[in-house]
Amino acid sequence: MVPNLPTALTWLRIVLIPVFVGIYYVPDQWLSPVLKNWLGMSVFALAAITDWLDGYLARRWGETSAFGAFLDPVADKLMVAAALILLVDLGRAEAYLAIIIIGREITISALREWMAQLGRSRKTAVAFIGKVKTVAQMTALIALLLWEDVIPGVSTPVLGTIALYVAAILTLWSMFHYLRRAAPHFRTEMPREADTRPPREAKPGVNPARPPAR
C-alpha cells in the first residue's frame, strides 16, 4: 500500500536523520567545517519543517491513521536524540543536558502509552508548556548545529547553549506536569481481558453437578 503524503513526510524525516549526522563526519578535504555546519543545519531544519507539515496536512486532508500517529512521535524523538548525541560528540553540548532531554522523552512516551491503555490519553495530551519546550529545543539544536554567527553582535553558540539550558528546564517542568496529571491513576490496575475460552463440555454419562462415585 502506498503511504499517504503525511506518512511519507514522516518517513522522509527518519531518512534525513543519518544524512544530517553523516555530514559532520565527512572528511574536511571534501567539505569545509563551515560548509558542514551550514549543510547539516539545513538538512536538520528541513526535517523539522516536515514535522510541522505532515501534521498540518494530515489534519487538513483527513489522512490521519493509527500508524501515522505512532510513527510521527517516534520520528521526532529519533531526530532530537540523534542531534543531541551528535552535539555532545562535537563538544557543543553538555552530556547531562542531553541525558535530561532524552530521558524525559522516553519517560513521557512510556507514560502516554500506559495512559492510553487505561483510556486516559487526554490526561497526557500535549500541553502549552510542552509546545514552548519544543520551540526552545528546536532553536537550541538549530543554533548549535549551525555554530556560525549570522546575526551581528549575537554569538550563535552562546544563543544555542542558552536555549538548550532553557529547553532542559522546560523539559523537567513539562515532565512533572504530565506526571502530576497522571498521578491519580498510578494505583489503577490494568483492565483485565474477559476469559474468552469456551466452557468445558461434560463427559458423556457424567453428571457435572456431582462427582462420579468411587
Side-chain angles (χ1 to χ4, degrees), residues 132-213:
V132 176
K133 181 269 302 180
T134 300
V135 172
Q137 185 173 273
M138 288 297 110
T139 301
L141 295 179
I142 289 175
L144 292 174
L145 287 171
L146 176 56
W147 204 248
E148 308 293 335
D149 293 340
V150 293
I151 303 175
V154 177
S155 170
T156 300
V158 172
L159 173 63
T161 301
I162 293 174
L164 191 62
Y165 274 100
V166 172
I169 293 172
L170 294 177
T171 288
L172 293 175
W173 186 357
S174 63
M175 182 179 71
F176 289 127
H177 168 77
Y178 294 127
L179 289 173
R180 182 175 58 83
R181 296 197 64 182
H185 305 282
F186 284 169
R187 295 182 180 273
T188 302
E189 294 185 0
M190 289 291 294
R192 297 181 178 178
E193 296 182 359
D195 190 356
T196 57
R197 293 175 298 176
R200 289 184 177 181
E201 295 183 0
K203 294 182 179 180
V206 177
N207 185 352
R210 52 183 296 181

Side-chain angles (χ1 to χ4, degrees), residues 15 48 88 116 129 147 153:
V15 171
V88 171
I129 182 64
W147 204 248

Side-chain angles (χ1 to χ4, degrees), residues 69-83:
F70 154 77
L71 188 64
D72 184 69
V74 171
D76 296 344
K77 290 166 180 55
L78 287 175
M79 185 176 69
V80 170

